[in-house]
Amino acid sequence: MGGSKNLPAPVDGLALCAICNAGCEGGMQAQALRYGWKVRAWVTNPERVPVFYPREMRWCRLEGTYRVPITYSVAMEMGCSVYGREWLDWHEAVIV
């Protein structure tokens, strides 16, 4: 964040390996946004963006330092409340 003096909350970041992080900023960006691994800079409440965990094949919402499992339907509602039509566009051709 360019040297911000504000300490980020745990929900403000996900830990990714260097390869995945580079992918989220490059060729995997659409997938990273679809699955909540990357959040647009203008999103003021990142905890409202659901996150998909592929190894567990489940969606979660982040609450402090905890992951709370949610259904796909709840993930869609949450994502739409943040991104609107853009979220639906990311998920139209994807079945999770």
Side-chain angles (χ1 to χ4, degrees):
M1 295 285 304
S4 172
K5 293 182 192 296
N6 298 328
L7 292 176
V11 75
D12 289 333
L14 294 174
L16 297 173
C17 70
I19 294 169
C20 289
N21 187 60
C24 288
E25 296 297 329
M28 286 178 38
Q29 192 168 89
Q31 181 179 10
L33 288 164
R34 178 186 319 132
Y35 290 142
W37 306 333
K38 176 181 174 80
V39 177
R40 296 266 194 228
W42 54 261
V43 174
T44 56
N45 297 312
E47 68 274 5
R48 293 179 48 214
V49 177
V51 179
F52 183 71
Y53 290 86
R55 286 188 173 217
E56 300 166 18
M57 294 299 293
R58 72 176 177 182
W59 286 93
C60 294
R61 65 180 173 80
L62 301 179
E63 188 175 295
T65 58
Y66 297 99
R67 296 183 301 170
V68 179
I70 57 175
T71 65
Y72 176 71
S73 297
V74 171
M76 289 301 289
E77 288 177 24
M78 289 175 67
C80 285
S81 74
V82 175
Y83 291 114
R85 179 67 206 174
E86 188 175 24
W87 180 266
L88 293 174
D89 291 343
W90 294 332
H91 289 269
E92 261 180 5
V94 178
I95 299 174
V96 177

